[in-house]
């Protein structure tokens, strides 16, 4: 049993495909342990993506992530981190496999519909960034 953080990004929320995306997690055996819709400030987005602070796309990415509401979720299941990454598809939708969320809903390498933690350490940091112990049933 493992937990990972998932975000439905502002582009996908605007497209009204929250339900379609969530159903893909459920159909692949992941459970939603916690979930909420929030709107991050620029500063909150910068804190979330602090690992990317030296990258050239950091400023654009954090503008994008704070331009509208997002849905943040904790997904749980066996191998949840890797399974979520598989369901999401490659960062650039042009390289994403058929049937993945990014292939079907992403616009480009930045506006790519979903986020997923990439390792146990990042999952722990990212879950704690949005959810308190009391919110994690
Ligand atoms: O989200 P993922 O782990 O697949 O990719 P990342 O390399 O950790 O990058 C985080 C996010 O930054 C991506 O999901 C994109 O939204 C954005 N990004 C970008 O705008 N331009 C790039 N060249 C790479 C990533
Ligand atoms: Mg990443």
């Amino acid at each position: 049993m493992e937990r990972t953080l998932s975000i439905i990004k502002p582009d996908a929320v605007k497209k009204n495909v929250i339900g379609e995306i969530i159903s893909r997690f459920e159909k692949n055996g992941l459970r939603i342990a916690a979930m909420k819709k929030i709107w991050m400030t620029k500063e909150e987005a910068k804190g979330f993506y602090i690992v990317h602070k030296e990258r050239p796309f950091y400023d654009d990415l954090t503008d994008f992530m704070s331009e509208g509401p997002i849905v943040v979720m904790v997904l749980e299941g066996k191998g949840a981190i890797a399974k979520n990454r598989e369901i999401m598809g490659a960062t650039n939708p042009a390289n994403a496999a058929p049937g993945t969320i990014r292939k079907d809903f992403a616009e480009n390498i930045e506006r790519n519909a979903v986020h997923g933690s990439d390792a146990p350490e990042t999952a722990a940091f990212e879950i704690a960034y949005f959810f308190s112990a009391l919110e994690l049933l």
Side-chain angles (χ1 to χ4, degrees), residues 77-88:
K78 197 161 171 278
I81 295 170
K83 188 178 276 189
N84 180 39
R85 298 287 306 191
E86 198 183 306
I87 300 165
M88 288 164 59

Side-chain angles (χ1 to χ4, degrees), residues 9 49 52 55 57 61 85 91 102 109-110 112 115:
K9 295 184 178 184
Y49 277 119
H52 292 314
R55 309 286 287 274
F57 56 80
L61 172 63
R85 298 287 306 191
T91 307
R102 282 168 164 171
I109 193 169
E110 178 179 87
N112 60 2
H115 167 85

Side-chain angles (χ1 to χ4, degrees), residues 3-24:
R3 282 177 166 175
T4 189
L5 186 89
S6 168
I7 301 179
I8 302 177
K9 295 184 178 184
D11 58 321
V13 171
K14 281 188 187 124
K15 284 183 187 147
N16 205 25
V17 292
I18 294 170
E20 284 191 59
I21 290 174
I22 290 174
S23 77
R24 292 188 183 205

Side-chain angles (χ1 to χ4, degrees), residues 55-123:
R55 309 286 287 274
F57 56 80
Y58 183 62
D59 191 50
D60 273 357
L61 172 63
T62 50
D63 276 347
F64 161 53
M65 289 300 289
S66 57
E67 76 176 27
I70 59 173
V71 174
V72 288
M73 277 169 285
V74 176
L75 302 176
E76 69 183 11
K78 197 161 171 278
I81 295 170
K83 188 178 276 189
N84 180 39
R85 298 287 306 191
E86 198 183 306
I87 300 165
M88 288 164 59
T91 307
N92 186 344
N95 306 325
T100 59
I101 293 170
R102 282 168 164 171
K103 184 71 177 181
D104 294 340
F105 300 112
E107 290 166 32
N108 54 50
I109 193 169
E110 178 179 87
R111 304 177 70 86
N112 60 2
V114 282
H115 167 85
S117 311
D118 62 5
E121 306 72 44
T122 48

